[in-house]
Amino acid sequence: MPDSHPMSYLYRFFRLRSLPRHTSMEPLRPSWDVHIMPEAARSATPPRVGSTPAVTAEQDREMPMKEQDSPLDRYEVKEIFCMKCNALQPVGEKCCNPKCGTKFARWFCKYCNLFDDSPSKQIYHCPFCNVCRAGRGLGIDYRHCMRCNACVSMAEKHEKRHNCISQKLQGNCPICHEGMFQTIKPLRALRCGHVMHLQCFSMHVRSGQWTCPLCKKSVEDMSEYFAQIDAAVRMQPMPASYAGTMSNIYCQDCCKSCVVPY
């Protein structure tokens, strides 16, 4: 039958189906041994028919990590299990079984489904941030800045250096690029108003960087450091050919341009 005939495809299909099957006594080599196993494994003794196939590197990458659990979204938790009376119940501060009545933790937040039993930790729920934060409470040792959308310490030293930046905790840390709004790591506010993790700030300063990675302003009061640089410059005067040369600079701290000796 010519290949151009419309029934040629069906003809070849039924012809292949009618061919004799493999009748040799030698067992067929499993397909996974030919196509999936690596070259080094193929050179070894082939496995018996019916044995468990070896897991290759490609298959291992596709398998889920059984050792790592997926992160729990506590906002989606609807029921909890009491480990004392084995009662399955809605989320609450204590066991609903009248014969048990066990209090699950010292601190419980019904909005965040947060349980914390640390005896020395003070926690409060901020209705504006809609998260639980460490502290005694709003109006006691923290206040909520509406422009920054963040809780700010009411200590005098923090109030003096507070610089409002709109939604400054909604972004990521400029050093490690992790989220800061719900982080449990300590944060460090800079003079410019930007925020980073305290550990990232320490690493940033130890590396010799004294400016904010976002706006390039000084992270601290650098007047003493600049005075030391001026003293070192005065001890090494410029050559006579450059003595009267002036340079136009731009100060990142005060955002102004000025003319200074070269």
Side-chain angles (χ1 to χ4, degrees):
M1 182 177 294
D3 294 339
S4 60
H5 196 275
M7 299 297 292
S8 60
Y9 173 78
L10 294 177
Y11 173 77
R12 288 197 300 270
F13 174 77
F14 286 107
R15 185 179 180 184
L16 291 174
R17 292 290 300 271
S18 62
L19 291 177
R21 297 181 177 272
H22 184 79
T23 57
S24 174
M25 298 299 293
E26 181 183 0
L28 288 174
R29 182 180 294 273
S31 59
W32 52 263
D33 186 29
V34 176
H35 301 289
I36 298 180
M37 292 189 68
E39 193 70 27
R42 248 182 271 152
S43 60
T45 304
R48 301 186 303 273
V49 176
S51 61
T52 304
V55 179
T56 63
E58 289 77 6
Q59 291 173 324
D60 190 32
R61 285 194 296 267
E62 296 176 357
M63 293 178 64
M65 299 296 294
K66 297 182 180 180
E67 295 81 4
Q68 299 179 0
D69 295 332
S70 57
L72 173 66
D73 186 3
R74 65 173 183 265
Y75 296 101
E76 296 297 329
V77 175
K78 305 300 181 185
E79 293 179 329
I80 57 177
F81 188 81
C82 180
M83 301 299 292
K84 288 190 175 181
C85 65
N86 299 331
L88 184 65
Q89 56 196 288
V91 179
E93 184 179 4
K94 61 181 182 179
C95 182
C96 64
N97 186 358
K99 297 182 180 181
C100 179
T102 303
K103 189 176 181 180
F104 297 129
R106 287 183 173 88
W107 169 260
F108 166 69
C109 179
K110 63 181 180 180
Y111 304 104
C112 301
N113 285 341
L114 176 64
F115 296 85
D116 191 279
D117 204 37
S118 302
S120 59
K121 185 183 295 184
Q122 295 177 333
I123 305 175
Y124 71 95
H125 179 84
C126 177
F128 305 101
C129 296
N130 198 25
V131 294
C132 290
R133 301 197 180 277
R136 291 185 295 171
L138 294 178
I140 304 175
D141 56 348
Y142 280 89
R143 67 176 180 87
H144 185 84
C145 180
M146 293 300 182
R147 187 168 185 266
C148 298
N149 193 22
C151 291
V152 183
S153 175
M154 296 177 63
E156 184 178 358
K157 62 178 181 179
H158 295 291
E159 285 286 356
K160 289 182 178 180
R161 63 185 305 172
H162 177 67
N163 189 5
C164 288
I165 295 181
S166 179
Q167 306 292 328
K168 64 180 178 182
L169 290 185
Q170 301 299 324
N172 298 332
C173 175
I175 304 298
C176 65
H177 303 288
E178 293 183 2
M180 296 185 295
F181 186 73
Q182 294 186 357
T183 183
I184 60 176
K185 299 178 182 179
L187 299 178
R188 177 65 158 81
L190 309 181
R191 293 182 62 192
C192 57
H194 293 114
V195 181
M196 65 177 68
H197 293 119
L198 179 60
Q199 182 180 4
C200 297
F201 173 78
S202 301
M203 295 175 57
H204 185 65
V205 173
R206 283 199 300 266
S207 63
Q209 304 293 330
W210 294 94
T211 58
C212 174
L214 298 177
C215 62
K216 303 304 179 183
K217 293 185 178 181
S218 301
V219 297
E220 290 289 351
D221 185 8
M222 305 296 293
S223 56
E224 295 183 2
Y225 177 72
F226 293 153
Q228 294 177 3
I229 295 179
D230 293 338
V233 171
R234 287 193 298 268
M235 294 176 62
Q236 298 178 357
M238 296 293 292
S241 57
Y242 296 97
T245 305
M246 305 299 289
S247 177
N248 189 8
I249 66 170
Y250 177 79
C251 179
Q252 297 284 356
D253 289 341
C254 63
C255 301
K256 294 181 181 180
S257 300
C258 58
V259 179
V260 298
Y262 181 72

